[in-house]
Amino acid sequence: MNLSSVNDTSTWTVNQRDNFTSAVTNNLIVTALCISINYINSTLVHTFRKHQMFNTNPRYILFIHLVINDMMQLILSTLLHIISYALHTVSVPVCLVLLILAILATLNTPLNLAGMAVECYVAICLPLRHGHFCTVRNTWILIGLIWTASAFSILPDLFILLATEPLHFFHSEVLCSRDFVFRSSYSLKKRDASHIVCLVLVWLTLLYTYFRILFAAKEATADTKKARNTILLHGFQLLLCMLTYIRPMFEQGLLYVLPDRYRDIRFACYVIVQILPRFVSPIVYGLRDQTFRRHMRRYLLCRVRISSQPENVLMSNRRPMRVK
Protein backbone atom coordinates (compact mmCIF):
# COMPACT_ATOMS: atom_id res chain seq x y z
CA MET A 1 0.00 0.00 0.00
CA ASN A 2 1.23 3.47 -0.86
CA LEU A 3 2.51 5.46 2.13
CA SER A 4 0.82 8.65 0.97
CA SER A 5 -2.57 6.91 0.85
CA VAL A 6 -2.02 5.67 4.41
CA ASN A 7 -1.22 9.21 5.52
CA ASP A 8 -4.28 10.59 3.71
CA THR A 9 -6.51 7.94 5.29
CA SER A 10 -5.15 8.59 8.78
CA THR A 11 -5.51 12.35 8.32
CA TRP A 12 -9.11 11.90 7.15
CA THR A 13 -9.83 9.67 10.18
CA VAL A 14 -8.37 12.25 12.57
CA ASN A 15 -10.35 15.05 10.94
CA GLN A 16 -13.54 13.03 11.15
CA ARG A 17 -12.87 12.25 14.82
CA ASP A 18 -12.11 15.92 15.52
CA ASN A 19 -15.29 16.99 13.73
CA PHE A 20 -17.35 14.48 15.72
CA THR A 21 -15.76 15.55 19.01
CA SER A 22 -16.26 19.21 18.17
CA ALA A 23 -19.91 18.60 17.25
CA VAL A 24 -20.62 16.71 20.48
CA THR A 25 -18.85 19.37 22.55
CA ASN A 26 -20.72 22.22 20.88
CA ASN A 27 -24.08 20.51 21.31
CA LEU A 28 -23.37 19.76 24.97
CA ILE A 29 -22.41 23.38 25.61
CA VAL A 30 -25.51 24.70 23.84
CA THR A 31 -27.81 22.24 25.63
CA ALA A 32 -26.31 23.05 29.04
CA LEU A 33 -26.70 26.78 28.45
CA CYS A 34 -30.28 26.31 27.22
CA ILE A 35 -31.27 24.25 30.28
CA SER A 36 -29.57 26.62 32.73
CA ILE A 37 -31.06 29.81 31.29
CA ASN A 38 -34.53 28.29 30.89
CA TYR A 39 -34.42 27.01 34.47
CA ILE A 40 -33.87 30.56 35.71
CA ASN A 41 -36.49 31.91 33.32
CA SER A 42 -39.04 29.27 34.36
CA THR A 43 -38.43 30.31 37.98
CA LEU A 44 -39.24 33.88 36.96
CA VAL A 45 -42.47 32.73 35.31
CA HIS A 46 -43.43 30.67 38.38
CA THR A 47 -42.75 33.65 40.65
CA PHE A 48 -44.90 35.85 38.42
CA ARG A 49 -47.81 33.37 38.51
CA LYS A 50 -47.74 32.92 42.27
CA HIS A 51 -48.08 36.58 43.25
CA GLN A 52 -50.93 38.86 42.25
CA MET A 53 -48.84 41.99 42.74
CA PHE A 54 -46.94 41.02 39.57
CA ASN A 55 -50.00 39.91 37.59
CA THR A 56 -51.55 43.36 37.84
CA ASN A 57 -48.42 45.37 37.04
CA PRO A 58 -47.98 46.22 33.31
CA ARG A 59 -44.21 46.40 33.68
CA TYR A 60 -43.96 42.86 35.01
CA ILE A 61 -46.47 41.59 32.44
CA LEU A 62 -44.30 42.91 29.61
CA PHE A 63 -41.23 41.51 31.29
CA ILE A 64 -42.68 38.02 31.74
CA HIS A 65 -43.85 38.07 28.11
CA LEU A 66 -40.25 38.84 27.16
CA VAL A 67 -39.05 35.95 29.34
CA ILE A 68 -41.53 33.45 27.83
CA ASN A 69 -40.63 34.68 24.36
CA ASP A 70 -36.93 34.20 25.15
CA MET A 71 -37.60 30.68 26.43
CA MET A 72 -39.45 29.75 23.25
CA GLN A 73 -36.76 31.31 21.06
CA LEU A 74 -33.96 29.60 22.96
CA ILE A 75 -35.61 26.16 22.80
CA LEU A 76 -36.30 26.47 19.07
CA SER A 77 -32.85 27.80 18.19
CA THR A 78 -31.19 25.06 20.27
CA LEU A 79 -33.35 22.43 18.57
CA LEU A 80 -32.43 23.78 15.13
CA HIS A 81 -28.76 23.86 16.13
CA ILE A 82 -28.81 20.21 17.24
CA ILE A 83 -30.75 19.17 14.12
CA SER A 84 -28.14 20.82 11.90
CA TYR A 85 -25.44 18.62 13.53
CA ALA A 86 -27.38 15.38 14.06
CA LEU A 87 -29.72 15.15 11.07
CA HIS A 88 -28.19 17.78 8.75
CA THR A 89 -31.43 17.93 6.75
CA VAL A 90 -35.10 17.83 7.70
CA SER A 91 -38.35 17.82 5.74
CA VAL A 92 -39.46 21.22 4.49
CA PRO A 93 -42.89 21.35 6.27
CA VAL A 94 -41.32 20.56 9.65
CA CYS A 95 -38.56 23.06 9.01
CA LEU A 96 -41.08 25.74 8.06
CA VAL A 97 -42.97 25.36 11.35
CA LEU A 98 -39.77 25.57 13.40
CA LEU A 99 -38.37 28.48 11.41
CA ILE A 100 -41.57 30.57 11.49
CA LEU A 101 -41.92 30.17 15.26
CA ALA A 102 -38.24 30.96 15.81
CA ILE A 103 -38.40 34.03 13.55
CA LEU A 104 -41.56 35.26 15.30
CA ALA A 105 -39.88 34.95 18.70
CA THR A 106 -36.79 36.74 17.40
CA LEU A 107 -38.80 39.63 15.95
CA ASN A 108 -40.87 39.95 19.14
CA THR A 109 -37.88 40.75 21.33
CA PRO A 110 -36.95 44.27 20.07
CA LEU A 111 -40.62 45.24 19.82
CA ASN A 112 -41.22 44.09 23.40
CA LEU A 113 -38.20 46.07 24.59
CA ALA A 114 -39.56 49.16 22.83
CA GLY A 115 -42.88 48.66 24.64
CA MET A 116 -41.06 48.38 27.97
CA ALA A 117 -39.19 51.61 27.16
CA VAL A 118 -42.46 53.43 26.52
CA GLU A 119 -43.92 52.11 29.79
CA CYS A 120 -40.84 53.26 31.68
CA TYR A 121 -41.06 56.68 30.03
CA VAL A 122 -44.72 57.12 31.01
CA ALA A 123 -44.04 55.96 34.59
CA ILE A 124 -41.22 58.48 35.13
CA CYS A 125 -42.06 61.43 32.89
CA LEU A 126 -45.88 61.22 33.00
CA PRO A 127 -46.64 59.67 36.40
CA LEU A 128 -50.15 61.15 36.65
CA ARG A 129 -51.17 59.48 33.38
CA HIS A 130 -49.45 56.15 34.01
CA GLY A 131 -52.52 54.59 35.62
CA HIS A 132 -54.67 55.65 32.68
CA PHE A 133 -52.42 54.54 29.83
CA CYS A 134 -50.58 51.57 31.33
CA THR A 135 -53.43 49.28 32.35
CA VAL A 136 -53.48 45.49 32.29
CA ARG A 137 -55.93 45.51 29.38
CA ASN A 138 -53.81 47.89 27.32
CA THR A 139 -50.72 45.81 28.09
CA TRP A 140 -52.29 42.65 26.68
CA ILE A 141 -53.46 44.63 23.63
CA LEU A 142 -49.85 45.77 23.13
CA ILE A 143 -48.62 42.16 23.34
CA GLY A 144 -51.20 41.18 20.71
CA LEU A 145 -49.99 44.01 18.47
CA ILE A 146 -46.39 42.84 18.90
CA TRP A 147 -47.28 39.33 17.69
CA THR A 148 -49.36 40.77 14.84
CA ALA A 149 -46.52 43.00 13.65
CA SER A 150 -44.09 40.07 13.76
CA ALA A 151 -46.54 37.88 11.85
CA PHE A 152 -46.98 40.51 9.14
CA SER A 153 -43.20 40.58 8.78
CA ILE A 154 -42.82 36.81 8.15
CA LEU A 155 -46.07 36.00 6.30
CA PRO A 156 -44.92 37.66 3.01
CA ASP A 157 -41.91 35.33 3.01
CA LEU A 158 -44.26 32.36 3.27
CA PHE A 159 -46.44 33.63 0.42
CA ILE A 160 -43.37 34.25 -1.76
CA LEU A 161 -42.16 30.73 -0.96
CA LEU A 162 -45.50 29.18 -1.99
CA ALA A 163 -45.56 31.21 -5.20
CA THR A 164 -41.98 30.67 -6.37
CA GLU A 165 -40.98 27.15 -5.30
CA PRO A 166 -42.13 24.04 -7.19
CA LEU A 167 -44.31 21.44 -5.50
CA HIS A 168 -41.56 18.83 -5.12
CA PHE A 169 -39.58 21.28 -2.98
CA PHE A 170 -42.12 20.87 -0.17
CA HIS A 171 -41.64 17.08 -0.27
CA SER A 172 -37.87 17.31 -0.05
CA GLU A 173 -35.40 17.71 2.82
CA VAL A 174 -33.23 20.78 3.32
CA LEU A 175 -30.77 22.21 5.77
CA CYS A 176 -33.13 23.96 8.20
CA SER A 177 -31.88 27.50 7.88
CA ARG A 178 -33.69 30.63 6.78
CA ASP A 179 -31.28 31.22 3.90
CA PHE A 180 -31.84 27.70 2.52
CA VAL A 181 -35.65 27.77 2.80
CA PHE A 182 -36.61 31.38 2.02
CA ARG A 183 -34.06 31.60 -0.77
CA SER A 184 -35.93 33.80 -3.23
CA SER A 185 -34.33 37.13 -4.08
CA TYR A 186 -37.65 38.81 -3.23
CA SER A 187 -37.53 37.32 0.26
CA LEU A 188 -33.96 38.51 0.76
CA LYS A 189 -34.81 42.06 -0.31
CA LYS A 190 -37.96 42.09 1.80
CA ARG A 191 -36.06 40.77 4.83
CA ASP A 192 -33.42 43.49 4.54
CA ALA A 193 -36.07 46.19 4.17
CA SER A 194 -38.11 44.95 7.14
CA HIS A 195 -34.99 44.72 9.30
CA ILE A 196 -34.03 48.30 8.44
CA VAL A 197 -37.54 49.56 9.22
CA CYS A 198 -37.59 47.67 12.51
CA LEU A 199 -34.15 48.96 13.48
CA VAL A 200 -35.06 52.57 12.72
CA LEU A 201 -38.41 52.51 14.52
CA VAL A 202 -37.17 50.70 17.62
CA TRP A 203 -34.04 52.82 17.97
CA LEU A 204 -35.99 56.06 17.48
CA THR A 205 -38.42 54.95 20.18
CA LEU A 206 -35.57 53.87 22.41
CA LEU A 207 -33.55 57.06 22.01
CA TYR A 208 -36.51 59.38 22.49
CA THR A 209 -37.88 57.68 25.59
CA TYR A 210 -34.53 56.95 27.21
CA PHE A 211 -33.13 60.47 26.72
CA ARG A 212 -36.29 61.94 28.20
CA ILE A 213 -35.89 59.60 31.17
CA LEU A 214 -32.23 60.53 31.54
CA PHE A 215 -33.09 64.24 31.60
CA ALA A 216 -35.76 63.55 34.21
CA ALA A 217 -33.33 61.40 36.20
CA LYS A 218 -30.88 64.30 36.48
CA GLU A 219 -33.49 66.42 38.25
CA ALA A 220 -34.95 63.69 40.47
CA THR A 221 -33.37 61.93 43.43
CA ALA A 222 -33.76 58.33 44.55
CA ASP A 223 -36.90 57.49 42.56
CA THR A 224 -35.26 57.66 39.14
CA LYS A 225 -31.65 56.78 39.91
CA LYS A 226 -32.46 53.11 39.53
CA ALA A 227 -34.14 53.83 36.20
CA ARG A 228 -30.86 55.20 34.85
CA ASN A 229 -29.10 51.85 35.36
CA THR A 230 -32.11 49.97 34.03
CA ILE A 231 -31.99 52.13 30.90
CA LEU A 232 -28.39 51.14 30.26
CA LEU A 233 -29.18 47.45 30.71
CA HIS A 234 -32.18 47.67 28.38
CA GLY A 235 -30.04 49.43 25.81
CA PHE A 236 -27.37 46.74 26.09
CA GLN A 237 -30.00 44.02 25.78
CA LEU A 238 -31.50 45.67 22.71
CA LEU A 239 -28.05 46.06 21.19
CA LEU A 240 -27.44 42.33 21.63
CA CYS A 241 -30.80 41.53 20.06
CA MET A 242 -29.99 43.73 17.10
CA LEU A 243 -26.93 41.59 16.41
CA THR A 244 -29.39 39.19 14.77
CA TYR A 245 -29.77 41.61 11.86
CA ILE A 246 -26.04 42.09 11.27
CA ARG A 247 -25.04 38.47 11.94
CA PRO A 248 -24.60 37.51 8.23
CA MET A 249 -22.31 40.49 7.56
CA PHE A 250 -20.41 39.82 10.81
CA GLU A 251 -19.87 36.16 9.88
CA GLN A 252 -18.72 37.05 6.37
CA GLY A 253 -16.20 39.50 7.76
CA LEU A 254 -14.77 36.91 10.15
CA LEU A 255 -14.69 34.25 7.42
CA TYR A 256 -12.75 36.64 5.21
CA VAL A 257 -10.10 36.97 7.94
CA LEU A 258 -10.24 33.32 9.13
CA PRO A 259 -11.45 31.20 6.20
CA ASP A 260 -10.38 27.90 7.84
CA ARG A 261 -12.45 28.43 11.01
CA TYR A 262 -15.93 28.20 9.51
CA ARG A 263 -17.47 25.91 12.15
CA ASP A 264 -15.91 27.78 15.06
CA ILE A 265 -17.09 31.13 13.71
CA ARG A 266 -20.63 29.86 13.19
CA PHE A 267 -20.74 28.41 16.70
CA ALA A 268 -19.31 31.55 18.33
CA CYS A 269 -21.76 33.78 16.45
CA TYR A 270 -24.63 31.49 17.45
CA VAL A 271 -23.75 31.72 21.15
CA ILE A 272 -23.25 35.50 21.05
CA VAL A 273 -26.35 36.30 19.00
CA GLN A 274 -28.88 33.66 20.09
CA ILE A 275 -27.95 32.68 23.67
CA LEU A 276 -26.21 35.64 25.30
CA PRO A 277 -29.16 38.10 24.92
CA ARG A 278 -31.46 35.55 26.60
CA PHE A 279 -29.23 35.64 29.67
CA VAL A 280 -29.66 39.39 30.19
CA SER A 281 -33.40 39.33 31.02
CA PRO A 282 -33.01 37.41 34.32
CA ILE A 283 -30.28 39.84 35.36
CA VAL A 284 -32.33 42.96 34.64
CA TYR A 285 -35.36 42.01 36.73
CA GLY A 286 -34.60 38.72 38.45
CA LEU A 287 -31.51 39.99 40.27
CA ARG A 288 -31.75 43.80 40.25
CA ASP A 289 -35.41 44.19 41.13
CA GLN A 290 -35.62 43.85 44.91
CA THR A 291 -39.30 42.91 45.00
CA PHE A 292 -38.95 40.21 42.38
CA ARG A 293 -35.67 38.97 43.86
CA ARG A 294 -37.16 38.58 47.33
CA HIS A 295 -39.93 36.33 46.05
CA MET A 296 -37.80 34.58 43.44
CA ARG A 297 -35.22 33.30 45.95
CA ARG A 298 -37.88 31.09 47.50
CA TYR A 299 -38.39 29.20 44.26
CA LEU A 300 -34.95 29.32 42.61
CA LEU A 301 -33.41 26.74 44.96
CA CYS A 302 -36.67 24.85 45.62
CA ARG A 303 -36.99 26.25 49.13
CA VAL A 304 -40.76 26.69 49.12
CA ARG A 305 -41.51 23.49 50.96
CA ILE A 306 -38.77 24.11 53.50
CA SER A 307 -39.89 27.65 54.20
CA SER A 308 -43.51 26.58 54.53
CA GLN A 309 -42.85 23.94 57.18
CA PRO A 310 -42.63 26.37 60.12
CA GLU A 311 -46.00 27.80 59.09
CA ASN A 312 -47.51 24.32 59.16
CA VAL A 313 -46.04 23.69 62.58
CA LEU A 314 -47.47 26.94 63.89
CA MET A 315 -50.86 26.18 62.44
CA SER A 316 -50.85 22.75 64.05
CA ASN A 317 -49.95 24.29 67.41
CA ARG A 318 -52.82 26.76 67.11
CA ARG A 319 -55.52 24.11 66.84
CA PRO A 320 -58.21 24.69 69.46
CA MET A 321 -58.28 22.31 72.36
CA ARG A 322 -61.27 20.07 72.75
CA VAL A 323 -63.53 20.78 75.68
CA LYS A 324 -64.00 17.64 77.71
Side-chain angles (χ1 to χ4, degrees), residues 123-136:
I124 294 179
C125 299
L126 304 172
L128 298 179
R129 300 183 180 181
H130 183 266
H132 177 71
F133 291 127
C134 301
T135 62
V136 175

Side-chain angles (χ1 to χ4, degrees), residues 188-209:
L188 295 177
K189 294 178 181 178
K190 197 255 7 162
R191 183 180 64 181
D192 294 338
S194 62
H195 286 176
I196 292 173
V197 171
C198 181
L199 278 170
V200 171
L201 291 178
V202 172
W203 276 111
L204 285 177
T205 303
L206 191 72
L207 292 174
Y208 175 78
T209 55

